[in-house]
C-alpha cells in the first residue's frame, strides 16, 4: 500500500458475502486446531504492541488467500502478510504506524471495547475512533499512528 497521511479509509461491505462466510467458516474450523500461535510467541511480532491480553494468530488457507486476492484484484506481491487475529479479554493493540488493512468479521458491540483509534494526521494530540462492525475494512497508509482499545471481559 502506498499513500499519504490523510487518515484511515473505511470500506463498508468490503468482502462479498460468500467470501465473508468462507472466512468465518475457516476461522470456526481452525478454533480447535493447533494452527494458532500467540502474539506472545510470534518471532517477528513487536511484543510491545499487545497490551495485557493475548491475540491468537493463524494463517489463512491458500484457497482463502487466493479468493481474497481475486476479489480485491490484487497480486500476491501486493499482499505481504495475511493473518487471522482473535483477541481474548483484555487484549489491545498499542500505538504503531505500520501500513495495514483490518477487516472485522463479526457484528461488534461498542461495549466490548476493541475500538480502532488513530491520531489525527493534522493534529497529533487529537485522537479519533472508529467503531468496528461486520465486514468493515479499515486501511492505514503512510505514517498513520493507530491502535485498538482493550477488549472487555
Amino acid at each position: 500500500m502506498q499513500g499519504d497521511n490523510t487518515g484511515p479509509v473505511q470500506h463498508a461491505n468490503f468482502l462479498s458475502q460468500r467470501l465473508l462466510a468462507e472466512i468465518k467458516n475457516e476461522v470456526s474450523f481452525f478454533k480447535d486446531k493447533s494452527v494458532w500461535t500467540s502474539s506472545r510467541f510470534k518471532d517477528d511480532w513487536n511484543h510491545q504492541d499487545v497490551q495485557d491480553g493475548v491475540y491468537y494468530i493463524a494463517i489463512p488457507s491458500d484457497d482463502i488467500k487466493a479468493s481474497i486476492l481475486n476479489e480485491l484484484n490484487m497480486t500476491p506481491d501486493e499482499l505481504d502478510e495475511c493473518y487471522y487475529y482473535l483477541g481474548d479479554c483484555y487484549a489491545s493493540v498499542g500505538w504503531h504506524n505500520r501500513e495495514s488493512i483490518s477487516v472485522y468479521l463479526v457484528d461488534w458491540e461498542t461495549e466490548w471495547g476493541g475500538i480502532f483509534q488513530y491520531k489525527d494526521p493534522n493534529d497529533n494530540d487529537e485522537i479519533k475512533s472508529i467503531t468496528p462492525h461486520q465486514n468493515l475494512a479499515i486501511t492505514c497508509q503512510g505514517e498513520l499512528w493507530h491502535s485498538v482499545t482493550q477488549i472487555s471481559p
Side-chain angles (χ1 to χ4, degrees):
M1 284 181 297
Q2 292 185 7
D4 56 19
N5 207 13
T6 59
V9 177
Q10 297 181 60
H11 310 270
N13 301 311
F14 187 66
L15 301 171
S16 69
Q17 290 302 308
R18 178 198 56 78
L19 182 53
L20 184 64
E22 286 179 21
I23 291 170
K24 289 169 86 171
N25 285 339
E26 183 168 79
V27 169
S28 288
F29 175 76
F30 281 176
K31 279 188 179 176
D32 297 327
K33 308 292 183 232
S34 56
V35 299
W36 298 93
T37 187
S38 161
S39 56
R40 299 221 191 271
F41 302 113
K42 192 169 180 294
D43 290 340
D44 60 348
W45 182 270
N46 180 348
H47 298 283
Q48 294 183 10
D49 283 352
V50 176
Q51 318 279 319
D52 301 320
V54 175
Y55 271 92
Y56 298 96
I57 304 161
I59 297 172
S61 67
D62 290 341
D63 288 343
I64 292 290
K65 281 193 261 186
S67 293
I68 291 169
L69 290 170
N70 183 53
E71 195 161 293
L72 301 180
N73 296 317
M74 295 174 70
T75 66
D77 294 340
E78 294 175 291
L79 187 63
D80 293 336
E81 297 178 346
C82 185
Y83 299 107
Y84 297 132
Y85 289 90
L86 295 177
D88 71 356
C89 291
Y90 305 110
S92 64
V93 178
W95 290 99
H96 62 280
N97 64 345
R98 288 184 306 281
E99 292 185 341
S100 63
I101 300 175
S102 298
V103 181
Y104 294 89
L105 301 178
V106 298
D107 287 324
W108 200 260
E109 300 291 330
T110 305
E111 301 80 39
W112 297 348
I115 306 300
F116 181 92
Q117 302 180 115
Y118 64 98
K119 293 185 178 183
D120 184 321
N122 300 313
D123 179 0
N124 218 19
D125 291 331
E126 184 176 354
I127 297 174
K128 297 183 177 184
S129 64
I130 298 171
T131 301
H133 58 82
Q134 185 177 44
N135 207 8
L136 171 70
I138 300 173
T139 57
C140 294
Q141 300 176 328
E143 295 293 318
L144 182 70
W145 285 92
H146 57 283
S147 68
V148 176
T149 64
Q150 188 175 63
I151 296 174
S152 300

